[in-house]
Amino acid sequence: MFLTFEGIEGSGKSTQLRRLAERIPNAVITKEPGGTPLADRIRAILLDSSSQLDPNAELFLFAASRRQNVIEVIKPALARGAVVLCDRFTDSTLAYQGFGRLINLDQLRTLNAWATDSLTPDLTLIFDLPEEVGLNRARSRNAEAVSDEGRFEAEDLRFHRRVREGYRTLAVSEPNRFAVIDGEGEVDEVFARVVAEVTKRTELLR
Ligand code: TYD
């Protein structure tokens, strides 16, 4: 079983992922960009605000990071029968590079399929909240962080609004795979929504 967690900056998905993993005995946690030592090096380039990245070069780095993670971590774990929880996956590319940077969605889908051997999540949780709320959370967190991972937080509100709308559009197009979760409120409240959706759609928490 392969679950992915999606949403704009500061949507709370990473916190919710960790909470859910505590309830699933054979959970394997991973994230993108990153997830392997090599992909973590790619991540550093992608998120460093001093990187002057061309949009297509950015896209290819996300794809390269994803490929390493799929081959080294996700596929072997699924083959062992583990439940894999991944913080961001192919839908981040559609939302950020597609709806955010306006790269052609069909080309992105082709690249995603290439990078993953067409691996598709069984369930994708999208944490939805107003972009102002998410960005404020993300920026205050980033101000405290030691490493500089602010390149996407530095994008303007319109960019993040397009990303949010992009996720909502994706969710409408594939309602069986996506569950949109209201990300506003306290961690416990949001987690109760996560548990409800995961219980409704999978056997994991039964
Ligand atoms: P991350 O620290 O994981 O952000 P968050 O804490 O919000 O999850 O940084 C990942 C950033 O990279 C985030 O801004 C979204 C962006 N991203 C893309 O633009 N495309 C992608 O395919 C992926 C995986 C991430």
Side-chain angles (χ1 to χ4, degrees):
M1 170 83 58
F2 182 30
L3 272 65
T4 57
F5 289 62
E6 297 281 357
I8 59 166
E9 327 293 316
S11 60
K13 63 188 167 39
S14 312
T15 306
Q16 298 297 332
L17 183 153
R18 286 192 295 274
R19 288 284 291 270
L20 185 64
E22 287 167 10
R23 301 273 293 267
I24 301 174
N26 57 342
V28 169
I29 299 179
T30 185
K31 72 179 304 179
E32 296 201 354
T36 79
L38 196 148
D40 281 335
R41 287 159 67 189
I42 301 176
R43 175 188 176 86
I45 299 172
L46 278 164
L47 302 188
D48 185 333
S49 4
S50 68
S51 297
Q52 304 278 324
L53 272 174
D54 166 85
N56 287 327
E58 173 187 282
L59 169 66
F60 300 148
L61 288 175
F62 279 117
S65 164
R66 178 160 307 133
R67 179 72 185 168
Q68 292 294 139
N69 196 26
V70 165
I71 296 299
E72 290 184 47
V73 178
I74 301 177
K75 278 197 168 188
L78 292 174
R80 294 197 300 274
V83 176
V84 177
L85 307 181
C86 192
D87 192 340
R88 298 194 181 280
F89 194 59
T90 42
D91 299 303
S92 281
T93 298
L94 299 179
Y96 282 79
Q97 279 64 53
F99 291 90
R101 302 245 191 265
L102 305 175
I103 299 176
N104 178 279
L105 285 175
D106 286 333
Q107 283 184 316
L108 296 179
R109 289 198 169 95
T110 302
L111 186 63
N112 275 341
W114 192 356
T116 63
D117 299 332
S118 297
L119 178 67
T120 306
D122 297 295
L123 174 62
T124 297
L125 304 179
I126 295 178
F127 293 86
D128 182 62
L129 81 182
E131 55 279 0
E132 297 87 350
V133 178
L135 269 185
N136 282 338
R137 283 188 192 169
R139 284 180 181 147
S140 53
R141 178 182 62 198
N142 224 23
E144 290 163 17
V146 190
S147 58
D148 173 7
E149 292 201 335
R151 205 167 63 84
F152 282 89
E153 273 101 341
E155 292 287 341
D156 65 13
L157 266 181
R158 277 175 310 176
F159 176 86
H160 293 280
R161 186 167 307 136
R162 287 202 299 279
V163 173
R164 181 191 185 196
E165 290 306 322
Y167 276 125
R168 289 151 70 105
T169 303
L170 293 173
V172 171
S173 71
E174 264 181 275
N176 290 334
R177 175 162 74 87
F178 288 108
V180 178
I181 292 180
D182 177 2
E184 280 198 278
E186 295 300 317
V187 173
D188 287 347
E189 287 171 333
V190 179
F191 188 60
R193 297 175 196 139
V194 171
V195 169
E197 282 294 341
V198 172
T199 304
K200 192 167 89 188
R201 291 163 180 264
T202 74
E203 306 277 313
L204 286 175
L205 301 175
R206 284 181 203 154

